[in-house]
Amino acid sequence: MTWAGALAVGVLGVLATGVTFHLNYRMIAEEGPTSAATVGYLLPVVSVALGALVLDEPLTVRVVTGMAVVLVGVGLTRVPVASASGARAGDERPKVGDRR
């Protein structure tokens, strides 16, 4: 392995992974674990879309339908649900930086 290759692996390993973990933990703290988990469902949708745009991969009806199902499912996790007391779910959780 050349020095340039080793440097590239190091930069990708430290910076890209470190930034990703930081953003993930910040999202868990601010939005909660359910919202943070939905990011994993978006990865295949983004990958398929980039494959179609960059590599001219075919988008079949089945693939587009699957993407739509995933996006609707992720969207449904973002809809606030009212509890029996009338408060929305998640209202009791303070945001990062709140001083309660």
Side-chain angles (χ1 to χ4, degrees), residues 47-58:
S47 298
V48 169
L50 286 175
L53 290 173
V54 176
L55 301 175
D56 293 326
E57 292 181 354

Side-chain angles (χ1 to χ4, degrees), residues 23-88:
L23 292 175
N24 190 36
Y25 287 125
R26 185 173 171 187
M27 185 171 189
I28 290 170
E30 291 181 5
E31 296 289 330
T34 302
S35 294
T38 60
V39 172
Y41 295 115
L42 295 175
L43 294 175
V45 174
V46 172
S47 298
V48 169
L50 286 175
L53 290 173
V54 176
L55 301 175
D56 293 326
E57 292 181 354
L59 281 179
T60 63
V61 173
R62 182 180 287 178
V63 170
V64 173
T65 303
M67 292 169 71
V69 168
V70 169
L71 292 174
V72 168
V74 169
L76 287 174
T77 66
R78 304 294 298 168
V79 175
V81 179
S83 66
S85 66
R88 292 183 315 170

